[in-house]
Amino acid sequence: MSDARRLQYLEAMGIQAWAERGAAPAAAGVAEAPGAIAEPAPVSFSTESSIEAGDSDVARLDWDALQARVKGCTLCGLEKTRTQTVFGVGNRSAAWMVVGEAPGADEDRQGEPFVGRAGQLLNEMLWALGLERAEVYIANVLKCRPPGNRDPSPNEVACCEPYLKRQVALIKPKIILAVGRIAAQNLLKTDTRIGALRGRVHRYADTGIPLVVTYHPAYLLRSPLEKRKSWDDLQLAARTFGGGAG
Ligand code: URA
């Protein structure tokens, strides 16, 4: 990607002043020392699942079988209100995986994560890092839209968790970017506020895969002044990736 194009996306992220100072953006893969690795906060809420017995079964599925299982899933009740499931999209050998919360109305209609306005900003965040959307894999904690875009319930998250875990196991990303509070808290199994989860490198479950938390693009659209902090998060992720902290 040309510097001019990257600067254009940095501007879209609201970090024009940073760009004007002439510093080069941290491209994905830059070899800098990784940020300090911090352990996730202790588990503080229940993830008891009605389907824990089925977890090991999902853990053996290949991509086609997994996609078919998700498509026909009726475990949590969201099948009653969804238009379709939203499995995930992108490069199945991606080094970068982005995990959001759940499909919204646009995603429910189109069957693809992050296709609405928040998705456009997510694309710009990725471009600012030197990444094309098609290079990364994008998925959500939930594969179905909660009605009215309400927060996912603990049971919905628990029912869907094996699917995301299997996607991570198949992709084996080098880094996971958790976007938004719901994704961060559920991936890290904590109720720590997002502000305290940002700025350090966590590990996803028992995989050891580094995980960096940033704000949800929908929140950044509402609170553009926070974009600068999000850019800090993206740079931390790029340094971590470049430093091979996986
Ligand atoms: N918000 C999310 O968290 N995921 C989507 O796919 C769309 C909006």
Side-chain angles (χ1 to χ4, degrees):
M1 174 181 299
S2 71
D3 284 351
R5 188 171 171 206
R6 187 171 296 141
L7 285 178
Q8 179 189 331
Y9 299 122
L10 288 169
E11 278 186 34
M13 285 194 62
I15 44 183
Q16 189 171 14
W18 180 90
E20 279 171 3
R21 282 201 300 272
V30 288
E32 287 180 34
I37 305 290
E39 290 304 314
V43 177
S44 56
F45 65 83
S46 164
T47 57
E48 260 179 48
S49 165
S50 52
I51 56 146
E52 255 160 24
D55 199 339
S56 57
D57 164 42
V58 171
R60 284 194 298 272
L61 301 179
D62 65 15
W63 276 111
D64 287 348
L66 181 64
Q67 195 152 3
R69 181 71 68 89
V70 168
K71 193 171 178 186
C73 184
T74 57
L75 286 173
C76 74
L78 285 180
E79 77 284 358
K80 297 188 191 90
T81 49
R82 74 183 177 215
T83 304
Q84 59 191 312
T85 56
V86 179
F87 181 68
V89 71
N91 177 1
R92 291 178 172 182
S93 308
W96 287 70
M97 183 163 180
V98 177
V99 180
E101 175 180 335
D106 293 322
E107 291 75 21
D108 174 71
R109 233 181 345 262
Q110 295 185 43
E112 181 172 330
F114 284 102
V115 290
R117 280 186 69 221
Q120 186 55 45
L121 182 55
L122 177 65
N123 293 345
E124 280 156 2
M125 292 161 75
L126 293 171
W127 282 325
L129 279 172
L131 294 164
E132 296 287 340
R133 180 178 166 98
E135 265 179 90
V136 309
Y137 195 88
I138 305 174
N140 283 309
V141 168
L142 289 196
K143 309 304 186 207
C144 296
R145 180 188 183 213
N149 295 344
R150 62 159 170 74
D151 286 356
S153 74
N155 183 58
E156 288 159 1
V157 172
C159 288
C160 244
E161 188 177 42
Y163 302 141
L164 183 65
K165 271 193 180 160
R166 186 61 186 149
Q167 286 175 307
V168 172
L170 287 165
I171 296 164
K172 299 185 189 66
K174 301 236 176 319
I175 189 156
I176 296 172
L177 187 66
V179 296
R181 175 182 66 84
I182 299 282
Q185 291 182 337
N186 284 293
L187 292 179
L188 297 173
K189 303 213 181 301
T190 180
D191 56 10
T192 302
R193 62 189 179 81
I194 186 168
L197 295 173
R198 292 181 49 250
R200 55 200 174 111
V201 181
H202 307 267
R203 301 278 172 176
Y204 174 59
D206 51 4
T207 64
I209 298 169
L211 183 153
V212 170
V213 171
T214 194
Y215 292 118
H216 195 286
Y219 170 74
L220 295 175
L221 288 170
R222 294 192 302 273
S223 309
L225 292 179
E226 301 288 61
K227 285 179 177 176
R228 186 173 297 270
K229 288 191 202 159
S230 183
W231 176 235
D232 291 341
D233 301 333
L234 298 183
Q235 288 179 295
L236 171 62
R239 285 197 305 276
T240 305
F241 178 76

